[in-house]
Amino acid sequence: MATTIITKDNFQSEVLDFPGTVLLDFWADWCGPCRMLTPVIDEVAAEHPHVKVGKVNVDAEQELAAKFGIMSIPTLLVFQNGQKNGESIGLIPKEQVEKLIQ
């Protein structure tokens, strides 16, 4: 499954109302570690089609970043059936990303 751009306008339908696991990547264009994590996130999206993978640009979606207290990027949040149940801050290897979504 390809990644989905998440905004404040589609957050409810794409994340909270999704019946399953959603992995959100809070990132920014200027963030070096975010750019390093992007291929990992893309691989996870391709290899785990049952998981919805969303990307939240913190510069464009400051309201969402503030709502979840995002102070450092990259930050990954995991939602299960609309409830937040996992978080990771900073660059992590693919194996740790996969543990988050299990």
Side-chain angles (χ1 to χ4, degrees), residues 25-95:
D25 176 17
F26 286 80
W27 69 285
D29 289 325
W30 49 264
C31 169
C34 297
R35 289 193 307 267
M36 293 169 65
L37 187 59
T38 293
V40 171
I41 296 300
D42 291 344
E43 280 183 36
V44 169
E47 294 172 10
H48 299 273
H50 63 286
V51 175
K52 179 179 284 192
V53 178
K55 296 188 68 71
V56 181
N57 183 321
V58 297
D59 289 333
E61 298 297 328
Q62 294 177 11
E63 188 176 315
L64 275 180
K67 178 179 181 175
F68 292 102
I70 306 300
M71 302 299 285
S72 298
I73 52 174
T75 293
L76 300 177
L77 298 183
V78 178
F79 289 79
Q80 187 72 38
N81 299 318
Q83 300 294 315
K84 181 182 159 197
N85 75 346
E87 180 174 354
S88 176
I89 299 171
L91 180 62
I92 59 173
K94 181 180 175 185
E95 294 77 25

Side-chain angles (χ1 to χ4, degrees), residues 4-18 22 24 52 54-56 61 64:
T4 303
I5 303 300
I6 303 297
T7 67
K8 65 178 174 45
D9 296 329
N10 70 2
F11 184 80
Q12 180 73 38
S13 63
E14 294 289 346
V15 179
L16 298 181
D17 294 341
F18 186 75
V22 179
L24 291 184
K52 179 179 284 192
K55 296 188 68 71
V56 181
E61 298 297 328
L64 275 180

